[in-house]
């Protein structure tokens, strides 16, 4: 039985991501597990002398458990209202002490969880722009796909998925994994390569054709097509994809060429962050073999 893991800090953004994950799970025929990372400041000094008593952990754990049960009740009500007796997913929870990234990574590995769904903040929030420190840290440490949901986005049927690529061979395996996800929705996959027209050459076309040939040979799916997105740089190209491609989800590989950097950093990042109004799925540098077939 597949399970989608949803880290939560009980914020509105996290609650919205959990609601999105719940609807997604109905299509994927998966369960939902809410996860909260308890931060006990036992190692932190307050006013140089005062330390949080470890015996207070039990009280903190009880409060978190209560909040998780409330969150599950809310999700169960949503499920009943939207789907009724035909609801598929079971909803569970867990909480552990530690950082979000470490706890989630350990749980994914131990329970073979194929996808983590997490909320992302509005533009300008925290030091990492619209991601927030927990999401950014999780991306850096993850060896599994991570789906980031904009703060106010409501679930809708996924009909078209955009995959941004720089033709890294690493992406072929990811696209094959993505096909197993897309089949659940009968969704199109648009493979998008962003390039400045003045630098695009016959050599680029040859690389593109070889890349697409590899995909055809390895991914048995007839709803994949290619589009060259002509733009001055990757950040502007990703902005165009988010705004004008009519995609319901964008996929980025955190690979060697690091197309992800263009998404989160640089002079255009704030502008781009304001425009991200679709889910963003990030595949890691190193993908576990189980993650490639688990959807």
């Amino acid at each position: 039985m597949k399970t989608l893991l949803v880290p939560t800090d009980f914020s509105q953004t996290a609650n919205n991501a959990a609601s999105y994950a719940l609807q997604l799970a109905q299509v994927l025929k998966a369960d939902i597990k809410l996860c909260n990372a308890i931060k006990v400041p036992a190692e932190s000094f307050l006013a140089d002398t005062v330390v949080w008593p470890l015996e207070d952990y039990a009280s903190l754990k009880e409060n978190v458990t209560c909040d998780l049960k409330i969150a599950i009740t809310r999700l169960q009500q949503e499920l009943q209202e939207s789907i009724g007796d035909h609801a598929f997913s079971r909803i569970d929870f867990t909480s552990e002490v530690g950082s979000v990234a470490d706890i989630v990574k350990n749980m994914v590995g131990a329970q073979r969880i194929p996808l983590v769904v997490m909320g992302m903040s509005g533009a300008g929030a925290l030091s990492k722009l619209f991601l927030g420190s927990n999401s950014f840290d999780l991306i850096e440490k993850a060896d599994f796909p991570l789906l980031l949901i904009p703060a106010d986005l409501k679930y809708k049927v996924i009909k078209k998925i955009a995959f941004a690529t720089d033709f890294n061979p690493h992406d072929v395996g990811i696209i094959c994994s993505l096909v197993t996800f897309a089949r659940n929705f009968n969704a199109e996959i648009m493979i998008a390569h962003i390039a400045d027209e003045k630098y695009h050459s016959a050599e680029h076309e040859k690389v593109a054709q070889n890349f697409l040939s590899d995909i055809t040979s390895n991914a048995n799916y007839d709803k994949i097509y290619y589009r060259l997105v002509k733009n001055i740089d990757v950040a502007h190209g990703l902005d165009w994809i988010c705004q004008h491609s009519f995609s319901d989800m964008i996929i980025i590989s955190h690979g060697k060429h690091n197309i992800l950097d263009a998404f989160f950093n640089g002079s255009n990042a704030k502008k781009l962050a304001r425009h991200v109004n679709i889910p963003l799925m990030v595949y890691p540098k190193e993908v576990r073999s189980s993650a490639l077939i688990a959807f």
Side-chain angles (χ1 to χ4, degrees), residues 120-126 129-131 151 269-275:
M120 59 182 174
S121 304
L126 303 177
L129 296 177
F130 63 121
L131 268 185
K270 288 184 180 180
K271 175 176 179 289
L272 179 59
R274 286 195 295 271
H275 290 176

Side-chain angles (χ1 to χ4, degrees), residues 8-248:
T8 182
D9 59 2
F10 310 112
S11 65
Q12 182 56 42
T13 298
N15 290 342
N16 183 68
S19 295
Y20 187 100
L22 187 63
Q23 296 300 320
L24 186 67
Q26 304 313 298
V27 181
L28 298 177
K29 293 182 171 53
D31 291 336
I32 293 288
K33 177 169 283 190
L34 298 183
C35 170
N36 177 259
I38 301 175
K39 283 200 169 184
V40 179
E43 298 174 358
S44 302
F45 287 89
L46 305 177
D48 294 329
T49 56
V50 181
V51 178
W52 182 282
L54 285 177
E55 54 266 25
D56 284 355
Y57 165 71
S59 175
L60 184 57
K61 175 80 170 180
E62 182 179 350
N63 290 337
V64 168
T65 299
C66 180
D67 289 339
L68 284 165
K69 288 181 178 179
I70 291 172
I72 285 181
T73 298
R74 177 183 58 80
L75 289 173
Q76 289 171 334
Q77 290 173 346
E78 288 182 11
L79 200 56
Q80 182 65 32
E81 290 171 3
S82 62
I83 301 178
D85 295 334
H86 300 290
F88 184 86
S89 299
R90 295 174 297 177
I91 310 171
D92 198 0
F93 70 87
T94 187
S95 60
E96 296 183 25
V97 175
S99 71
V100 174
D102 289 340
I103 289 173
V104 168
K105 185 173 181 179
N106 290 340
M107 287 187 62
V108 168
Q111 301 180 28
R112 299 176 65 84
I113 290 172
L115 181 65
V116 175
V117 183
M118 191 172 187
M120 59 182 174
S121 304
L126 303 177
S127 62
K128 295 297 184 181
L129 296 177
F130 63 121
L131 268 185
S133 57
N134 283 332
S135 302
F136 201 89
D137 190 33
L138 193 53
I139 286 174
E140 291 301 305
K141 293 184 177 181
D143 58 355
F144 48 84
L146 174 64
L147 181 60
L148 297 162
I149 309 300
D152 299 318
L153 183 75
K154 302 306 177 186
Y155 177 81
K156 68 175 184 176
V157 177
I158 299 169
K159 297 180 179 178
K160 183 176 178 180
I161 300 170
F163 182 87
T165 182
D166 56 7
F167 301 135
N168 190 322
H170 170 78
D171 288 349
V172 174
I174 290 176
I175 292 170
C176 291
S177 170
L178 181 58
V179 163
T180 68
F181 177 81
R183 284 187 196 278
N184 292 279
F185 309 90
N186 198 30
E188 295 181 339
I189 300 176
M190 179 184 77
I191 298 174
H193 176 64
I194 302 163
D196 190 329
E197 187 173 11
K198 65 183 179 181
Y199 297 118
H200 195 70
S201 64
E203 183 63 27
H204 283 91
E205 287 296 331
K206 184 178 180 180
V207 172
Q209 289 301 320
N210 290 338
F211 182 82
L212 294 172
S213 178
D214 286 345
I215 291 172
T216 301
S217 299
N218 290 279
N220 182 24
Y221 195 58
D222 61 2
K223 292 182 176 293
I224 300 176
Y225 67 97
Y226 169 70
R227 177 158 191 173
L228 172 64
V229 178
K230 298 177 181 178
N231 228 304
I232 58 175
D233 57 32
V234 172
H236 281 90
L238 290 169
D239 186 21
W240 185 92
I241 291 172
C242 290
Q243 291 298 297
H244 303 293
S245 71
F246 303 104
S247 296
D248 301 304

